[in-house]
Amino acid sequence: MNNLNEQHGIFKSSLGPSQILVAGFLCLILVATVLLMLPISSQSGETTNFVDALFTSTSAVCVTGLVVVNTLEHWSLFGKIIILFCIQIGGLGFMSLVSMIFVFMGKKITLKNRLIMQEAFSSNTMAGIVRFTKAVVILTFFVEGIGAFLLSFVFIPEHGFIKGVGYSIFHAISAFCNAGFDLVGSNSLTPYVGNGLVNFTIMGLIIAGGLGFCVWMDTYNMIKMKRQSAEHFTWKQAFYKMPLHTKLVWLISISLIVFGFIFFFLVEFKNPNTLGMLSFKDKLYAALFQSVSPRTAGFNTLPLADLTPASKLMTIILMFIGGSPAGTAGGVKTVTIGVLILCAISTIRGRENTEVYNRRIPIAVITRALTVVMIAITAVIAMLMILTVTESAEFMDILFEVVSAFGTVGLTLGITASLTTIGKIMIIILMFIGRLGPVTIAVALMVRQKRGKEKQSIQYPEEKVMVG
């Protein structure tokens, strides 16, 4: 019976879940590259060279937003639609959409397919994964639809009904998937720095996509439980009832947004090239947007090249951290950094265990977090060293570009289009690693550790070494 189920499954392959995810993204990138190279994809009717098409397709599938050609001016309607589809599939994951198509067609989802879906969402359990994936896909389209509806009040008066609707849908999907592609022009969303509707709609979509799908469900269940429960309890008590992961995501995400907002507001307040010439209201909008967007959307309402060095460095830090696990954002993830900070605090206090909210974080989770961060730092440093040799730009500009690519952010200080062919290829590789690497490696480590516990029968003597 199992063999029969596998024969009728979505994939017939001996590859593991991680390998299938990587192969699926590679295939999607290559198909999109070929389509973008077609003359019909460019407004000039000419073929786009392979490297530029590959860069654009990788940036779209990996929901990054870095571009070597102007999205508005270079690509035709067909090309923009291809990019939009890549963003949507890349944000949700090709396996999620394919699985849902099979579910709606009445096809059976095999055990192996469920394992792939579990890995795609970085889930700790396979229980209810199909139902969870279905809810994610439906809710994603619903949230994107609300975002597009709100943005249409701005874009339709500016561009007419048909074009305005298209612009609204494109930017809603791009924002929710944390992609950062826009159709405004070379200045991203800087023309809308004082538009409250655009600012808060885009920020809301960015945050919703970056929180992580499991956080959605936990928060929804918490609100539902509070409303339906006969026992009266406060919102604070309801918050404490949520899983530890969800509490950490909310705590760290809000803290980063608030801290970033205050930092950018104070540091850039008198900068005449950024906040200095804006009204107080627009200063608030721009500082808040600059705090939200680096994790990891790629839109900007301020000219990034004119930021102070301190603000550029803060943006780099936020891009490296990124969003939260099991969402559309990139980076090493908020909970990863949070776990390491909590571990450091526990060590400083002389505590053997890492504890928070009356819960103890397993040592296996801490070692996985440390591994993800070390791999991320290694990848960033390696690519940084290569690009400092191949490119003629300033060090800060290259560092900004490299971290933006790894974090799948899409923000740039203006050097993307002038990268050498080797530089473009390095950024392509880094975008791919940033989209799949940390998640895939973390899940793979979890499997290896479980297998290691089962197989390990010999435990060697402990010996201390000096650190610090």
Side-chain angles (χ1 to χ4, degrees):
M1 178 65 70
N2 289 336
N3 292 335
L4 182 62
N5 289 342
E6 289 293 331
Q7 290 177 1
H8 289 85
I10 300 174
F11 295 106
K12 292 186 293 182
S13 171
S14 59
L15 297 176
S18 299
Q19 295 169 315
I20 291 177
L21 279 177
V22 172
F25 272 91
L26 280 174
C27 290
L28 178 59
I29 288 171
L30 292 176
V31 170
T33 300
V34 173
L35 292 175
L36 291 176
M37 288 178 65
L38 298 175
I40 192 177
S41 295
S42 66
Q43 291 198 21
S44 64
E46 298 177 356
T47 301
T48 303
N49 70 73
F50 174 75
V51 175
D52 287 352
L54 178 63
F55 192 102
T56 304
S57 64
T58 305
S59 184
V61 172
C62 297
V63 290
T64 304
L66 290 173
V67 294
V68 289
V69 295
N70 189 296
T71 306
L72 173 65
E73 298 174 357
H74 180 83
W75 302 110
S76 65
L77 176 61
F78 179 80
K80 292 182 178 75
I81 292 175
I82 295 299
I83 292 172
L84 188 62
F85 271 101
C86 288
I87 292 171
Q88 186 71 87
I89 297 173
L92 278 176
F94 80 99
M95 188 60 208
S96 303
L97 293 179
V98 171
S99 298
M100 285 306 96
I101 292 174
F102 273 73
V103 167
F104 290 128
M105 291 175 60
K107 301 291 184 179
K108 185 175 180 62
I109 305 297
T110 65
L111 176 62
K112 188 169 187 177
N113 301 147
R114 294 169 191 266
L115 287 171
I116 300 170
M117 295 162 70
Q118 177 188 353
E119 177 142 338
F121 287 112
S122 303
S123 176
N124 293 322
T125 177
M126 195 170 58
I129 191 66
V130 175
R131 184 171 62 254
F132 174 76
T133 304
K134 184 177 179 180
V136 165
V137 172
I138 294 174
L139 191 56
T140 294
F141 292 145
F142 177 73
V143 173
E144 289 174 346
I146 293 176
F149 174 75
L150 294 175
L151 290 175
S152 66
F153 287 98
V154 175
F155 290 125
I156 288 179
E158 290 185 359
H159 304 285
F161 183 78
I162 300 297
K163 193 174 182 179
V165 169
Y167 270 47
S168 301
I169 294 173
F170 188 97
H171 289 93
I173 294 176
S174 183
F176 179 83
C177 293
N178 282 218
F181 280 85
D182 68 84
L183 302 177
V184 178
S186 58
N187 297 319
S188 190
L189 298 179
T190 51
Y192 301 99
V193 64
N195 190 306
L197 184 58
V198 171
N199 275 266
F200 285 103
T201 300
I202 295 294
M203 284 191 290
L205 290 168
I206 292 171
I207 294 171
L211 281 176
F213 300 119
C214 58
V215 175
W216 289 8
M217 301 304 174
D218 291 339
T219 304
Y220 170 77
N221 290 333
M222 179 270 289
I223 296 173
K224 183 178 179 181
M225 178 185 66
K226 186 180 185 305
R227 289 182 173 179
Q228 295 181 352
S229 176
E231 179 185 358
H232 176 74
F233 51 89
T234 64
W235 285 108
K236 183 178 181 180
Q237 292 172 326
F239 174 79
Y240 280 102
K241 290 178 179 291
M242 291 194 294
L244 177 60
H245 170 83
T246 301
K247 289 198 287 280
L248 287 177
V249 167
W250 277 114
L251 176 64
I252 299 170
S253 297
I254 293 174
S255 299
L256 287 173
I257 292 173
V258 173
F259 176 77
F261 164 68
I262 296 172
F263 180 90
F264 289 120
F265 184 79
L266 295 178
V267 173
E268 296 294 325
F269 191 86
K270 293 184 179 181
N271 185 344
N273 297 319
T274 55
L275 297 185
M277 302 302 292
L278 300 177
S279 66
F280 186 77
K281 174 180 69 69
D282 292 356
K283 281 183 172 69
L284 295 176
Y285 287 168
L288 183 59
F289 196 95
Q290 185 61 28
S291 176
V292 171
S293 186
R295 306 178 32 255
T296 56
F299 295 104
N300 60 280
T301 57
L302 293 175
L304 299 179
D306 295 329
L307 293 174
T308 62
S311 292
K312 290 178 182 178
L313 182 59
M314 176 55 67
T315 302
I316 290 173
I317 294 172
L318 293 175
M319 291 193 297
F320 185 78
I321 296 173
S324 300
T328 60
V332 295
K333 303 299 189 297
T334 53
V335 176
T336 304
I337 297 297
V339 165
L340 295 182
I341 293 175
L342 290 170
C343 179
I345 293 173
S346 297
T347 302
I348 293 171
R349 290 179 174 177
R351 296 179 180 176
E352 185 176 346
N353 296 320
T354 301
E355 300 168 345
V356 60
Y357 289 121
N358 298 321
R359 293 291 185 272
R360 177 171 54 86
I361 299 176
I363 189 65
V365 173
I366 297 172
T367 55
R368 286 200 302 272
L370 181 60
T371 303
V372 168
V373 171
M374 288 304 301
I375 292 172
I377 293 174
T378 302
V380 168
I381 291 176
M383 291 301 177
L384 180 61
M385 294 182 67
I386 294 174
L387 290 181
T388 52
V389 174
T390 63
E391 309 304 316
S392 59
E394 296 291 331
F395 178 80
M396 177 64 82
D397 295 351
I398 297 175
L399 176 61
F400 197 99
E401 194 84 5
V402 167
V403 176
S404 178
F406 172 79
T408 67
V409 181
L411 296 177
T412 178
L413 297 180
I415 69 170
T416 312
S418 60
L419 291 172
T420 63
T421 300
I422 295 177
K424 291 176 182 178
I425 293 173
M426 292 300 103
I427 293 296
I428 288 171
I429 294 172
L430 198 54
M431 288 190 292
F432 190 79
I433 293 174
R435 181 68 180 96
L436 288 174
V439 175
T440 305
I441 291 169
V443 176
L445 283 171
M446 181 167 58
V447 174
R448 285 178 181 272
Q449 286 178 342
K450 287 181 179 179
R451 291 175 178 174
K453 289 180 180 179
E454 295 171 358
K455 293 181 179 180
Q456 187 175 0
S457 57
I458 299 175
Q459 191 170 17
Y460 293 102
E462 182 182 274
E463 183 173 352
K464 294 182 178 180
V465 296
M466 291 183 291
V467 296

